[in-house]
Amino acid sequence: MKDKNPETLPRKTYEAELLRLQTELVKLQEWVRAEGARLVVVFEGRDAAGKGGAIRRVTEYLNPRVARIAALPKPTERERTQWYFQRYVERLPAAGEIVLFDRSWYNRAGVERVMGFCTKEEHQLFLRQCPIFERMLVEDGILLRKYWFSVSDAVQLERFRRRLEDPLRRWKLSPMDLESITRWEEYSRAKDDMMVHTDIAEAPWYVVESDDKRRARLNMMAHLLASVPYHEVPPPVLELPEPPPSTGYERPPRDLQTYVPDHTAQL
């Protein structure tokens, strides 16, 4: 089938380059593990901007013990009394790990500010502390990359509409998402204010144009790979051993175990 949007990257081109980049991401993972590096990738942007899809493609072939996703729920009552950055610090990587934040401490700069979930004073404190916090991470040796997925209001609305009509993706649509439609300009002002205070030399923001999800994913992945000085780590030499000779083992009768019914026989 031809793509409905003529500006959408052709699927064949997209899939070939996606596989190439994912292969490089595996090499990056092995470099991180071998070198004991710590990599943090922050994914931010408006609702339906394509963050989740990008994260899935990045991690598709990675080892979940090395590369993990941090998608924090709303804070508990106890966490509300902590230093704001405290629960995010707990999710930071140790040596040889990659953490991808599906939304991050920047919740305070966006949804919390616009929806009134924090006070004006808490928001201002965040804008003062965030650059200091991120400089501390970088000074300690963490590789920090921050991506803002930028989507137009028309494309966002169309994606919301598709979610509403799709029973497999309707769970992605929340009252908070719908609220963002009527607060578009408020979110825009919040994002601009955030960029002014937190786009620092040690940890700059990188904007990903995401009206075309395919281009957005490839562009983000290619940039991440180009920004990290990794190299291919030779894999260990492995050889399959010869199966040992039989010692007389016999499998128990099949009727002694409970098997999953053959659903496929009815297809």
Side-chain angles (χ1 to χ4, degrees):
M1 293 180 63
K2 293 183 178 180
D3 295 305
K4 294 180 180 179
N5 185 348
E7 296 181 357
T8 299
L9 194 67
R11 179 174 293 278
K12 186 175 181 180
T13 302
Y14 164 71
E15 291 180 346
E17 181 62 5
L18 176 64
L19 183 59
R20 187 189 74 81
L21 293 173
Q22 288 175 325
T23 303
E24 290 299 315
L25 285 168
V26 172
K27 296 178 185 178
L28 170 64
Q29 168 193 264
E30 294 307 293
W31 174 83
V32 166
R33 181 159 58 176
E35 296 293 325
R38 293 171 292 164
L39 176 59
V40 171
V41 187
V42 170
F43 292 78
E44 289 288 345
R46 295 180 186 271
D47 299 313
K51 302 180 295 297
I55 292 171
R56 285 195 297 275
R57 272 64 178 190
V58 168
T59 59
E60 186 171 4
Y61 294 105
L62 301 186
N63 183 345
R65 293 184 177 88
V66 176
R68 68 178 187 273
I69 301 169
L72 277 63
K74 66 180 182 180
T76 64
E77 289 302 316
R78 180 176 183 275
E79 288 172 332
R80 292 178 190 276
T81 68
Q82 296 175 342
W83 176 47
Y84 176 72
F85 294 94
Q86 187 167 336
R87 70 188 192 122
Y88 296 101
V89 170
E90 294 176 354
R91 273 72 176 187
L92 292 175
E97 295 179 348
I98 302 170
V99 175
L100 298 92
F101 279 93
D102 185 357
R103 295 196 180 277
S104 63
W105 47 89
Y106 282 101
N107 277 340
R108 177 138 294 179
V111 64
E112 289 192 18
R113 170 188 169 176
V114 174
M115 301 303 296
F117 297 154
C118 69
T119 66
K120 182 178 179 180
E121 292 73 22
E122 288 172 331
H123 175 251
Q124 291 299 314
L125 180 62
F126 169 83
L127 293 180
R128 290 197 302 272
Q129 290 187 342
C130 184
I132 300 171
F133 172 67
E134 292 182 352
R135 287 190 181 101
M136 291 173 64
L137 299 183
V138 174
E139 287 174 2
D140 200 59
I142 288 178
L143 300 170
L144 176 60
R145 301 293 181 269
K146 303 186 304 190
Y147 292 100
W148 177 270
F149 283 71
S150 179
V151 64
S152 66
D153 53 351
V155 171
Q156 184 194 54
L157 187 60
E158 176 58 28
R159 289 176 183 173
F160 282 162
R161 185 175 292 112
R162 289 202 299 267
R163 288 181 180 182
L164 188 63
E165 298 170 352
D166 186 348
L168 296 179
R169 295 190 297 171
R170 190 168 183 175
W171 63 269
K172 291 185 175 183
L173 198 59
S174 69
M176 198 80 67
D177 297 329
L178 301 181
E179 187 79 15
S180 68
I181 297 175
T182 61
R183 295 176 180 259
W184 179 271
E185 290 191 1
E186 293 178 63
Y187 273 103
S188 295
R189 294 188 184 95
K191 184 263 293 184
D192 293 343
D193 200 16
M194 177 196 77
M195 290 286 187
V196 167
H197 288 84
T198 64
D199 187 17
I200 58 177
E202 297 87 345
W205 277 106
Y206 298 104
V207 178
V208 182
E209 294 287 356
S210 61
D211 276 3
D212 181 346
K213 289 184 178 181
R214 295 177 188 173
R215 293 182 190 274
R217 294 164 186 166
L218 299 185
N219 290 339
M220 176 264 146
M221 293 163 67
H223 181 274
L224 175 62
L225 289 164
S227 74
V228 179
Y230 75 99
H231 57 79
E232 185 170 1
V233 177
V237 178
L238 302 175
E239 293 184 5
L240 291 176
E242 291 293 330
S246 173
T247 58
Y249 168 78
E250 293 185 6
R251 181 176 178 175
R254 294 175 63 90
D255 57 8
L256 295 180
Q257 297 173 322
T258 303
Y259 285 81
V260 172
D262 188 3
H263 167 76
T264 60
Q266 306 173 27
L267 300 179

